[in-house]
Structures are given as C-alpha cells and as structure tokens.
Amino acid sequence: VPTRVLYDADGYLCMLLDVVEAPNLTALKLSEEETLATAKELTRSIAAIEGHLPSVFDLRGPEQWRAFVADTIGMLDELVTAKRFVLTDDSTVRRIEGLAMSELVLAAIEGPSEYVHGDLHWGNVFKLADGYRVIDWTRPFWGPAGLNGVQAVETAGHDPLRHFDRGVGMVHAFRKINWAAQCQLRWFREGHYDEWVVNGYRRMRGCTEGEWGTWDPV
C-alpha cells in the first residue's frame, strides 16, 4: 500500500496511507489451486521490492539460525522456570530444540532464501483491478524460500505440505513459537501463548512425518 511519511523523529513515525477499497482474500474464498497461484504471485512481487529492506531478524544461514534458536529456547526456559508456561514443560522445550536443529530444518535454512512478509494471511491482502495490496508489514524478515507461501496456504485453510518442503514448514512453526514466547515475556503477556507453543511443537513433530495437522485448543 502506498504511503507518505509525515513525521520521523525521536523514535516516532507517522505515515499517511492510501485507503484501500477492495475485498480482502478471506472474503473471496479462493480454492486451493487459486490460493497457491496467488501465494506464488505475491512471493514474486515481494521478491521484486528494491532498496534496503527492514527486517526484525535474518535467518539466512546456519549461524543466524543457531542464534535464533538459542534466543527462543532461552525465552522458553525462562517462562517454564517462572511457571508462566504450564502446558509447556522442560521436556517439551528440549524436544522443540532438537527438532529446530534437525537435518530437515538445517537443509531448509541452507537452501534458497527470500524476503518474508511475516504475517501473510488473506485478511492482510486486498485484490484490486490492477493487482494486490498487502498491509501489516510489522515483522518482515529474511528466511527460507517458501515461508510466504506456507503461511498464505495455511491461513487459507489448506495443507502447505502438499506444496512446500517439510523443513520450511518446521521453520514456520518454530517462528510462531518464537513469537509466542516474545509475546508472553515482553509484549502482551495475556493470551494463549502457552497453547501456541504446544501446538507449534506438535506441528514441527508432524512435519517430520509429512503431516501438517490442525491447530487445536489444549
């Protein structure tokens, strides 16, 4: 969405954004085939963005991934020790750590990378006559190619593992675990973040067997 910066100083940023008068993709109820084609088109468009792109983290390479995993596991350990997480226990954290450093995940990390929107669900994408408009660029990052597609296909209610690598699916699930830990520890504090971690672990484990599964209440 086109924007114009009105003020940028002292840690504050004010922007003027175009009004988007169009349906989002959730309302259009795309088929799985249409969802996949749209996700690929959006991924190509995101890859074509030029300039020095902002990112909240960079997962391009094993060293960056190991640091990201260590930070995530550190947050989980802190939350479990403080009993702020009760569904997630120490054994779950250790299993998550093992899955995060598995061969499937490392192969995805060492493969091609892309600029990732970070929240590419269909409620954030609007279809206009001349193309798409994407909003909510709050947490973009660099990561394995396919992450944009995995999130788009997942949030449209389809199985990403029918179209994307299992290791990329595991990276996506682990990133949601990282965000859940951050939210509980630093940002919102109230929410189903303990449940997110358990479901993220189940999803990572399922990916090893080629099963995406559902995101269930715990």
Side-chain angles (χ1 to χ4, degrees):
V1 176
T3 64
R4 181 159 61 93
V5 175
L6 303 178
Y7 180 86
D8 184 4
D10 304 321
Y12 295 93
L13 178 67
C14 299
M15 298 184 295
L16 187 66
L17 283 74
D18 274 8
V19 174
V20 178
E21 295 182 354
N24 63 34
L25 297 192
T26 301
L28 296 182
K29 300 186 183 303
L30 303 180
S31 68
E32 183 169 358
E33 183 179 356
E34 292 170 326
T35 294
L36 184 62
T38 303
K40 289 181 176 179
E41 183 175 348
L42 290 169
T43 297
R44 287 193 296 269
S45 297
I46 292 171
I49 300 173
E50 298 179 342
H52 181 68
L53 304 181
S55 62
V56 292
F57 48 80
D58 187 340
L59 304 180
R60 290 176 290 184
E63 185 176 346
Q64 291 91 327
W65 178 249
R66 280 193 291 270
F68 185 72
V69 171
D71 179 60
T72 304
I73 297 303
M75 289 190 291
L76 292 175
D77 282 336
E78 182 176 345
L79 289 163
V80 170
T81 300
K83 300 190 185 309
R84 293 177 61 187
F85 275 176
V86 293
L87 299 173
T88 305
D89 58 17
D90 182 68
S91 63
T92 303
V93 175
R94 302 283 76 79
R95 293 189 187 102
I96 290 171
E97 185 175 19
L99 288 167
M101 297 307 298
S102 65
E103 291 184 7
L104 276 172
V105 172
L106 292 178
I109 292 296
E110 293 172 354
S113 61
E114 67 185 10
Y115 191 57
V116 184
H117 175 272
D119 198 13
L120 197 65
H121 65 75
W122 278 173
N124 282 338
V125 183
F126 298 83
K127 183 172 178 57
L128 284 76
D130 64 344
Y132 299 97
R133 301 291 185 275
V134 181
I135 63 170
D136 200 9
W137 292 81
T138 309
R139 297 182 56 75
F141 63 97
W142 292 96
L147 281 175
N148 283 313
V150 166
Q151 182 160 40
V153 170
E154 174 200 23
T155 57
H158 305 296
D159 182 353
L161 297 189
R162 286 167 52 88
H163 311 286
F164 298 96
D165 180 76
R166 289 181 295 160
V168 175
M170 294 173 74
V171 172
H172 171 69
F174 187 80
R175 186 185 69 85
K176 292 181 75 171
I177 290 173
N178 172 273
W179 178 234
Q182 283 194 55
C183 288
Q184 184 71 59
L185 196 63
R186 302 170 183 165
W187 306 121
F188 307 115
R189 296 181 180 271
E190 299 296 332
H192 301 288
Y193 302 120
D194 194 0
E195 188 174 297
W196 285 20
V197 173
V198 173
N199 271 296
Y201 161 63
R202 290 175 178 171
R203 183 147 285 171
M204 291 183 75
R205 187 180 61 191
C207 283
T208 64
E209 300 175 355
E211 297 178 359
W212 189 248
T214 58
W215 197 271
D216 299 319
V218 177

